[in-house]
Amino acid sequence: MSSRAEVYSVGPPPAAPARGPDGPASAGAPASGASAAGLRGAPGGRFRWPLPGAPRVVRRFDPPPQPWLSGHRGVDLAAEPGAPVLAAGAGTVLFAGTVAGRPVLTVGHSGGLRTTYEPVRSRLTAGTPVDAGTPVGDLLAGHQGCAEAACLHWGLRRDAEYLDPLALLGLGRVRLLPLHPVPAG
């Protein structure tokens, strides 16, 4: 077992882990959402805040250790009800509707990335192209667990893996990953 580790933040992705028939191999693989490597962020990057200015982060990304467990699969950003919600990056609206009683908007971006925004009232429909900074809807009050007047829950996925959306801005947490797979046990 090697004790050397490499630091990944926002930059080129590490080599893909071994995959089994149901996704990443479990032995030594990071939990879902553990890495945001490969995202392009901040100054001059492709992505921006989904609210005007630089909103206050009320709750950070806290992925569960296993995909089926509870966790916080995005970040909550404080704002006033009615604040314009902006596309974090260029892409296409994939979904605008209600999920579990909450109004949600999903935008698909290149590289298999999808950003989600809730609770958002939007007049956009699936298939609508958007640029970074395009208003996609208005923030509604009532996000569960938010003590502020309103919070935007901003999520990010690459395929089925949840990632920290702050990594799009170069603000995600740095993770240490082993250079070589760590044997189980």
Side-chain angles (χ1 to χ4, degrees):
M1 178 164 98
S2 171
S3 62
R4 292 180 48 197
E6 189 168 332
V7 175
Y8 290 105
S9 59
V10 179
R19 295 186 69 82
D22 297 323
S26 59
S32 180
S35 170
L39 304 180
R40 300 283 180 231
R46 302 180 305 151
F47 293 92
R48 52 154 293 134
W49 286 107
L51 292 167
R56 185 168 51 88
V57 176
V58 176
R59 186 172 176 200
R60 292 191 64 100
F61 179 68
D62 185 21
Q66 298 296 330
W68 59 86
L69 296 174
S70 64
H72 194 241
R73 295 170 172 88
V75 296
D76 291 346
L77 305 173
E80 292 297 318
V85 176
L86 313 171
T92 303
V93 174
L94 299 177
F95 177 82
T98 303
V99 175
R102 297 182 305 252
V104 176
L105 182 91
T106 301
V107 175
H109 309 279
S110 63
L113 296 176
R114 286 174 286 172
T115 51
T116 58
Y117 313 85
E118 72 168 86
V120 175
R121 178 180 42 240
S122 180
R123 292 184 250 335
L124 300 181
T125 58
T128 304
V130 294
D131 290 323
T134 299
V136 295
D138 300 315
L139 181 62
L140 299 174
H143 179 60
Q144 185 177 5
C146 175
E148 305 296 321
C151 284
L152 175 67
H153 178 81
W154 181 32
L156 174 66
R157 287 177 66 167
R158 177 184 287 134
D159 301 320
E161 182 182 16
Y162 288 94
L163 303 169
D164 184 350
L166 295 179
L168 294 172
L169 308 175
L171 302 173
R173 292 183 178 156
V174 173
R175 300 282 206 194
L176 295 178
L177 301 174
L179 286 174
H180 306 286
V182 178

